[in-house]
Amino acid sequence: MSANGGTKAIVAALLANIGIAVTKFIAFLLSGSSSMLAESIHSVADSGNQGLLLLGGKRAKREATPEHPFGYGRERYIYAFIVSIVLFSVGGLFALYEAYHKWGHEEGIKSWHWLPVVVLVAAIIMESYSFRTAIKESNHVRGNQSWVHFIRRAKAPELPVVLLEDFGALVGLVFALFGVGMTLITGNGRWDAAGTAMIGILLVTIAIVLAIETKSLLLGEGAEATELAAIERAITDGPEVERIIHMKTLYLGPEELMVAAKIGVPACETAQDLARGINAVEARIRAAVPVARVIYLEPDIFSVAAAEAGTGAAADTAVPQTQNASGDAAGRPGG
């Protein structure tokens, strides 16, 4: 659901931004407003970003290979990170440069005075539709989370990226309308430059937020607290497992979670009984958390003494360490 919803939101944003970019460029060429130029570049950057997100989603669907045995799901994170770089450089830094350049020219808008205002109002309407689509699709997967928590913790990057881009676009349009409006009222072009600077600061801020969040995804995030609790219940909710010795989780992609755990199991008479029990536990995990598609369970017999020793295994099943000539355990790192 998140992938389809993300694609729909991306396409809506892409179509809106292409139309908006064309009208803004025309308005800039006719009026010479720096706010209109900054907003034009902003819309072009957003259009390119939506193209990158679509490309990342397509490439992430490739089948796993021996070189990449866990597949290409994280490629969606890489393209989302590239989006933050594009937004920072092409959108934010260009707007700040244009504001600096325009500040030294105090002349106002000399021709087509009404056009920038009309274009900005029309752009706000189109961008509002795109933003509404992103909100609607996000609500399908957001649940009871706050918007801040959803953007910070969502594993699929497309919807948070589109949400932030559309929000930034709407606020940027308001800044541009403010700069153009004050320039028309006062005849002082520095208001236009101020609106452009506000757009630049906004885009740089959003780009930094996106970079921080996608960096966390690239480094690798584990399951949410609710998912961890569900996985733990699924493992221990049966006679096959006495306890979880230790467990780690990792998102291999937005919709693929890896679960690796060492579990304490009761003594079994045959390997067939043990295998049947592990398969039952895996089935419960997948039923509880459907995105848990890669599961590795290592059975062991738990003992308190082994846990206190830090081995995580039962004393009678642990592999004994050999001693070298100096009396130290072989293979143990020094220090």
Side-chain angles (χ1 to χ4, degrees), residues 3 47 51 60 69 100 121 169 172 184 196 198 231 242 246 252 269 276 307 318:
S47 299
Y100 173 79
V121 171
L184 292 175
T196 306
M198 292 164 68
I231 293 171
E242 294 179 336
H246 61 74
L252 303 174
E269 293 186 0
R276 187 181 295 112

Side-chain angles (χ1 to χ4, degrees), residues 137-174:
E137 296 302 324
S138 297
N139 282 332
H140 291 319
V141 295
R142 183 171 66 96
N144 296 324
Q145 301 177 82
S146 67
W147 285 108
V148 173
H149 188 271
F150 173 70
I151 290 173
R152 292 195 62 186
R153 303 303 299 169
K155 305 305 179 185
E158 291 83 3
L159 285 173
V161 168
V162 173
L163 278 169
L164 286 175
E165 280 192 346
D166 286 351
F167 173 76
L170 276 174
V171 176
L173 287 168
V174 173

Side-chain angles (χ1 to χ4, degrees), residues 46-59:
D46 280 353
S47 299
N49 287 341
Q50 275 106 46
L52 286 171
L53 292 176
L54 290 173
L55 177 62
K58 182 178 180 179
R59 291 181 61 84

Side-chain angles (χ1 to χ4, degrees), residues 32-35 95-96 98-109 175-176 178-199:
S33 168
S34 67
S35 292
L96 291 175
E98 182 63 20
Y100 173 79
H101 175 73
K102 185 71 175 182
W103 188 258
H105 303 79
E106 299 184 15
E107 66 272 11
I109 300 173
F175 288 164
F178 167 77
V180 169
M182 291 301 296
T183 297
L184 292 175
I185 292 172
T186 63
N188 189 338
R190 285 191 170 179
W191 285 107
D192 195 16
T196 306
M198 292 164 68
I199 294 169

Side-chain angles (χ1 to χ4, degrees), residues 5-72:
T7 300
K8 184 176 180 180
I10 293 170
V11 171
L14 176 61
L15 294 176
N17 278 308
I18 290 175
I20 292 170
V22 172
T23 55
K24 286 176 181 176
F25 264 122
I26 294 174
F28 160 69
L29 293 173
L30 294 175
S31 67
S33 168
S34 67
S35 292
M36 293 307 304
L37 177 58
E39 276 298 306
S40 301
I41 299 300
H42 179 191
S43 294
V44 170
D46 280 353
S47 299
N49 287 341
Q50 275 106 46
L52 286 171
L53 292 176
L54 290 173
L55 177 62
K58 182 178 180 179
R59 291 181 61 84
K61 294 178 181 178
R62 290 177 295 167
E63 295 293 331
T65 64
E67 186 177 7
H68 297 92
F70 290 111
Y72 293 85

